[in-house]
Amino acid sequence: MSEQISAAEAMPQPASAAGAAAYRRRLTAKQMEAEVFARATRAIRAAEQAEPLARARAVADNRRLWDAVHASVMDPTNALPPPLRAQIAGVALAVLRECDRPAPDLGFVAEMNELFAGGLWR
């Protein structure tokens, strides 16, 4: 894999709790959503080399994230165009299936997180 900077790494990181609060106030709703994906990505990347409990926690957190994404795009009141909603639902289901495997491919989960974070950050 090439030495690319992921969306999670490219986003600025605040230094303190006060700095974090100020940072969040400057973000748009889409950028805050991107930050959720970036945090999930960092947890999954760290879990790749972690003990089983940390892996399970990171996978469970990512599963909750993607379950919420799926529920959101399946909501008939969602304002996104139906074809886009269907595509996002398909990705969400693929990630959820991967998270449910006995040994999930954490690289795949992290890559999907990064792609969505990057798309939201724009």
Side-chain angles (χ1 to χ4, degrees):
M1 188 168 184
S2 65
E3 291 292 324
Q4 296 178 357
I5 296 176
S6 72
E9 296 167 332
M11 289 180 225
Q13 300 297 311
S16 68
Y23 171 72
R24 282 190 300 272
R25 283 191 297 272
R26 294 191 318 256
L27 296 179
T28 67
K30 283 176 63 175
Q31 289 170 333
M32 283 189 257
E33 291 171 355
E35 182 60 28
V36 171
F37 278 101
R39 287 181 186 184
T41 301
R42 287 190 295 272
I44 281 289
R45 291 286 185 207
E48 288 178 312
Q49 303 301 318
E51 63 208 35
L53 181 59
R55 281 178 67 95
R57 183 174 293 127
V59 170
D61 289 347
N62 270 272
R63 191 180 199 306
R64 280 190 296 276
L65 170 61
W66 284 98
D67 194 39
V69 169
H70 185 258
S72 175
V73 297
M74 295 306 292
D75 183 343
T77 64
N78 187 302
L80 291 174
L84 178 58
R85 289 172 44 203
Q87 291 174 334
I88 294 170
V91 172
L93 289 174
V95 174
L96 289 169
R97 278 192 302 271
E98 192 60 43
C99 288
D100 288 342
R101 292 174 50 121
D105 180 350
L106 300 183
F108 169 76
V109 175
E111 186 175 346
M112 294 301 103
N113 290 353
E114 289 170 345
L115 290 171
F116 273 70
L120 288 164
W121 192 252
R122 292 181 193 166

